[in-house]
Amino acid sequence: MSTFVVKGWCPDAWRPMMAGDGLLVRVRPPLGRLTRAQVLGLCDAATRLGSGRIDVTSRANLQIRGVREGSWRTLIDTLLDFGLIDPDPTREARANILVAPEWQAGDDTHRITEELRARLSELPDLPGKVGFAIDAGVAPQLQDAPADFRIERAAPGRLILRADGRKLGTPLSPSTEVDRLIGLARWFVESGGTVSGRMARHDAPLPDWAAATTPPAAFVPHVQPGPHPLGVALSLPFGRVSATALTRLVEAEIAIEAIRLAPRHIMICEAGVQLVSASDSADFITDPSSPLLRTDACVGAPACPQGSVETRALARRLAPHITGRLHVSGCAKGCARAAPADVTLTGREGRYDLAFDARPGAPPYRTGLDAAQILAQFGAT
Ligand code: SF4
């Protein structure tokens, strides 16, 4: 198990990360899409070989949690059988590609992503968290999702290559998009970007051939939960679903052909019809006004050894009583949300600190609260 990554790296299936609840195995399905058979196979493996808990990250990756060390290789073989990971660990590490989730077969997003996946071996070795966004639909929609090199729509029929942190991008000629993307990744390494770690922190002037002149088109809103042209979009509370609940949904709805992963913990069920079982529930949110969509909560204690308080059950009870954004964090690290929230609860030595318009760990308004005191404070008893 000596190949398991340490903190600060970006884990993937071949390099899982040890978390408080066992190994965390990240899966990046090609094109962010799993067929019905792949979903059921993944859920079965997550139940047999892990804790049965599955996360969909803010960057639209899947994470199988609680995998036992002795079961990891069996899980890898299962993921290979289902075509969900690359047999080459180096290629898998480079396939950090976020795809605009509403792509259509044969469109620019689909075409460019397929070409990039076929040419992963041409990429240089990049820092672990560096990734790509292929956002070439009618308008870009991955604005908040982290990515270092972005191919985006600039105007009808025109695409740009944009380095993260720059407002403008380089116009692309048809069929040269991946050449340019690989070229910019090589320039990043050759110009010392590996030291900076991320494109947004690398302030070297772009090469002459990549002169940034053109802004992206206006971004369109993220996919919202509820009816969707492909079927239905479901939001996962806190980005988590149990393999049991996902299996139950797919088995109950034979119209589901595939599931696409989207940023902000969204799954789009490709079905073409209204789904009977996919209604608002503890497992799936379909109501775009649900207070849980305004709520962030990390896994907290006991799953995370750094957390000293329970987080998600309290967040569920509190959310309907909070105006604005709620963040319940197991400790001051604030993994679930980097930005301030209107109401922030931070675990500290088994109690909660309460702050307003703050990040976890900010100077609190009240300290040392228990859950009952917090619920009473917001009239949630
Ligand atoms: S915020 Fe703290 S308790 Fe929550 S997941 Fe991160 S390290 Fe763990």
Side-chain angles (χ1 to χ4, degrees):
M1 305 303 283
S2 58
T3 56
F4 293 158
V5 296
V6 296
K7 287 177 183 172
W9 284 79
C10 199
D12 59 38
W14 288 104
R15 300 177 304 165
M17 183 175 77
M18 183 56 78
D21 56 350
L23 291 174
L24 181 158
V25 176
R26 182 169 290 175
V27 183
R28 303 176 180 130
L31 286 156
R33 181 178 187 267
L34 299 97
T35 64
R36 180 184 181 84
Q38 288 173 324
V39 174
L40 293 173
L42 182 132
C43 287
D44 176 61
T47 304
R48 283 188 297 109
L49 307 170
S51 64
R53 292 188 291 269
I54 298 170
D55 290 341
V56 175
T57 71
S58 59
R59 207 169 179 275
N61 294 311
L62 279 174
Q63 293 179 165
I64 300 172
R65 303 209 57 126
V67 176
R68 295 175 289 282
E69 293 191 33
S71 302
W72 170 75
R73 182 65 224 197
T74 307
L75 176 61
I76 286 290
D77 290 339
T78 305
L79 296 171
L80 286 167
D81 287 345
F82 280 100
L84 285 168
I85 61 171
D86 197 293
D88 178 346
T90 302
R91 284 175 47 85
E92 179 67 27
R94 292 175 177 172
N96 194 4
I97 309 169
L98 180 61
V99 181
E102 294 172 322
W103 57 268
Q104 300 286 330
D107 71 5
D108 284 334
T109 298
H110 182 230
R111 173 182 60 79
I112 293 167
T113 304
E114 291 284 65
E115 182 179 343
L116 178 57
R117 289 186 58 82
R119 297 176 62 183
L120 289 171
S121 57
E122 297 178 42
L123 288 167
D125 286 332
L126 293 161
K129 293 186 185 244
V130 168
F132 308 91
I134 310 301
D135 198 5
V138 290
Q141 69 174 155
L142 299 177
Q143 61 271 41
D144 297 338
D148 297 82
F149 306 101
R150 301 166 176 273
I151 291 180
E152 293 171 335
R153 180 69 58 194
R158 296 197 67 188
L159 295 172
I160 57 170
L161 170 61
R162 188 163 66 87
D164 198 36
R166 271 73 168 180
K167 288 194 169 72
L168 305 178
T170 308
L172 295 167
S173 307
S175 303
T176 65
E177 299 94 347
V178 177
D179 293 340
R180 292 301 198 191
L181 188 65
I182 292 171
L184 199 62
R186 288 178 178 166
W187 163 83
F188 174 78
V189 171
E190 289 160 5
S191 60
T194 302
V195 177
S196 314
R198 301 301 299 264
M199 184 63 237
R201 295 199 293 258
H202 185 47
D203 54 11
L206 293 170
D208 291 344
W209 61 263
T213 59
T214 308
F219 286 89
V220 294
H222 290 278
V223 176
Q224 293 293 311
H228 186 276
L230 289 167
V232 65
L234 309 174
S235 177
L236 306 181
F238 314 120
R240 173 161 294 182
V241 66
S242 72
T244 305
L246 188 51
T247 299
R248 195 186 311 127
L249 172 74
V250 172
E251 287 184 339
E253 297 288 356
I254 58 170
I256 294 179
E257 298 166 3
I259 282 178
R260 297 189 187 195
L261 308 174
R264 299 193 174 192
H265 317 303
I266 294 268
M267 292 189 335
I268 304 172
C269 298
E270 288 184 32
V273 296
Q274 188 65 36
L275 300 181
V276 177
S277 302
S279 54
D280 221 56
S281 67
D283 298 310
F284 304 109
I285 302 168
T286 55
D287 176 3
S289 66
S290 168
L292 286 182
L293 297 176
R294 294 182 274 106
T295 304
D296 303 288
C298 71
V299 68
C304 177
Q306 295 177 62
S308 69
V309 293
E310 192 287 324
T311 50
R312 291 179 174 171
L314 177 61
R316 278 185 187 271
R317 289 188 66 187
L318 207 51
H321 304 274
I322 301 293
T323 302
R325 190 115 209 143
L326 168 66
H327 185 179
V328 184
S329 185
C331 76
K333 193 172 174 189
C335 296
R337 179 178 175 82
D342 298 284
V343 175
T344 296
L345 294 162
T346 306
R348 186 169 56 83
E349 298 174 358
R351 313 281 280 193
Y352 300 86
D353 288 346
L354 167 65
F356 296 104
D357 192 19
R359 296 182 175 85
Y365 165 70
R366 293 183 68 188
T367 62
L369 302 172
D370 63 22
Q373 289 172 303
I374 293 164
L375 293 167
Q377 165 97 25
F378 292 97
T381 52

